[in-house]
Amino acid sequence: MNLSKKEVHQKIAELLVDLKLKGIKSSYEDEIKEACVKDASYEEFLYKLLEKEHDVQQENGKQNRIRIANFPYKKYLEDLIVEDLPEDGQRKLKVLKTLDFIKDGQNVILSGNPGTGKTHMSIGLGIKACLEGYKVLFTTIPLLINQLKESRSQRTLRAMENKFEKYDLVIADELGYISFDKEGSELLFTHLSLRAGRKSTIITTNLEFNRWEEIFKDPVLTAAMIDRLTFKSFMVDMTGDSFRFKETQKWIQSEAKE
């Protein structure tokens, strides 16, 4: 079967669409021209095409992991104003951003009053983890408990547990903003215990440990939860001045000058 050059290019384009090789599809014509000019070997030409496809798939993989992680918004570590963080946060960020804690299956507990950068830091670490190939989930504690209760009622709890257990990093935000009943406490304890000592979890909370009983209601379960979460964990004291409050003050001052 003799095909014209135009027909060959059309066939190639169709195959690349079917095979979902977007990187090669976007660059193969330019690579053909460059190979002809440089009199490149078949091996060199093939390598350049595969390299382009690899780069595109790697980038798509990063963006897909960020999308699937379900972050409420994108906040990178580079966006953090480090000097505005509480002192303990500044010190430990240097260690945490290496992401060795994920490799070692360690937890991170960010505790302190609202507005000091706990959620921003956790999202920044999560996005960096996605970019480095880790599978990440972001959720809030109230949302997670609601999902667990729904899964139990629909008899899909085991499937949710299996999925939850496989994330390299889970970020559970807002522990302490809402208290929950006995069922919610037990489900959360069981769920987080699945990861203890093997996979990393970041917890953000506005409550000190001696007040966790206020939300779990059960002193025995509270003690067990603290013991599981804090074992070999990074404890980061994020108590300090509210960044949002400082920004509001700056805005008020700028408005007053106008």
Side-chain angles (χ1 to χ4, degrees):
M1 179 176 62
N2 293 322
L3 298 174
S4 67
K5 184 179 288 189
K6 182 178 180 181
E7 289 172 324
V8 170
H9 278 246
Q10 181 62 35
K11 292 287 184 183
I12 291 172
E14 290 171 0
L15 286 171
L16 292 174
V17 170
D18 286 344
L19 294 170
K20 298 180 180 179
L21 300 175
K22 295 180 180 179
I24 293 178
K25 184 177 182 297
S26 64
S27 62
Y28 82 95
E29 291 183 334
D30 289 337
E31 291 298 332
I32 288 173
K33 292 175 185 176
E34 186 175 342
C36 289
V37 170
K38 294 183 177 180
D39 194 23
S41 67
Y42 291 123
E43 291 86 355
E44 290 173 317
F45 171 64
L46 179 60
Y47 172 74
K48 290 294 292 291
L49 283 181
L50 293 176
E51 185 180 43
K52 287 287 178 67
E53 182 61 35
H54 174 268
D55 291 345
V56 168
Q57 290 196 16
Q58 287 290 101
E59 183 59 33
N60 288 344
K62 292 175 183 178
Q63 298 308 315
N64 284 336
R65 285 191 293 274
I66 291 173
R67 177 179 56 80
I68 293 169
N70 202 32
F71 297 110
Y73 44 81
K74 287 185 181 180
K75 283 286 187 180
Y76 297 87
L77 289 179
E78 292 76 15
D79 299 328
L80 272 172
I81 303 174
V82 177
E83 56 269 24
D84 282 347
L85 293 174
E87 287 186 14
D88 197 41
Q90 293 182 38
R91 285 194 301 270
K92 288 177 181 166
L93 179 60
K94 296 176 183 177
V95 178
L96 294 174
K97 66 184 181 181
T98 66
L99 302 185
D100 285 345
F101 73 94
I102 301 178
K103 189 193 313 178
D104 297 333
Q106 294 176 279
N107 293 336
V108 178
I109 313 293
L110 299 165
S111 62
N113 52 295
T116 57
K118 298 185 298 296
T119 299
H120 185 160
M121 189 187 297
S122 67
I123 291 175
L125 290 168
I127 290 179
K128 184 172 184 182
C130 288
L131 295 175
E132 295 194 14
Y134 290 108
K135 188 177 180 184
V136 179
L137 172 69
F138 181 97
T139 185
T140 64
I141 293 289
L143 176 61
L144 178 59
I145 289 176
N146 285 337
Q147 290 174 333
L148 290 170
K149 286 184 175 182
E150 289 175 7
S151 295
R152 171 177 274 183
S153 66
Q154 296 168 7
R155 299 184 179 180
T156 57
L157 185 60
R158 186 56 187 165
M160 184 176 176
E161 288 175 348
N162 289 338
K163 185 177 179 181
F164 189 79
E165 198 174 355
K166 291 176 182 176
Y167 287 106
D168 299 302
L169 173 65
V170 168
I171 300 169
D173 198 29
E174 298 181 357
L175 176 66
Y177 287 89
I178 299 174
S179 60
F180 21 86
D181 57 20
K182 187 172 184 291
E183 180 191 15
S185 298
E186 291 174 350
L187 283 169
L188 181 64
F189 173 75
T190 301
H191 221 55
L192 292 178
S193 294
L194 293 171
R195 304 175 54 80
R198 299 185 307 102
K199 296 292 184 73
S200 297
T201 303
I202 295 178
I203 302 281
T204 73
T205 178
N206 63 330
L207 295 180
E208 295 179 0
F209 291 128
N210 59 9
R211 294 185 58 195
W212 278 28
E213 193 177 329
E214 295 174 19
I215 50 175
F216 288 108
K217 308 300 183 183
D218 182 333
V220 176
L221 188 144
T222 302
M225 176 73 81
I226 292 172
D227 181 64
R228 293 283 177 88
L229 289 178
T230 58
F231 180 65
K232 293 184 178 179
S233 297
F234 284 94
M235 314 298 296
V236 187
D237 183 1
M238 295 291 287
T239 303
D241 296 330
S242 168
F243 175 75
R244 288 191 289 269
F245 180 70
K246 287 189 285 188
E247 287 298 296
T248 301
Q249 285 185 316
K250 289 179 184 177
W251 179 79
I252 291 172
Q253 292 169 359
S254 66
E255 288 291 301
K257 292 177 182 178
E258 293 181 1

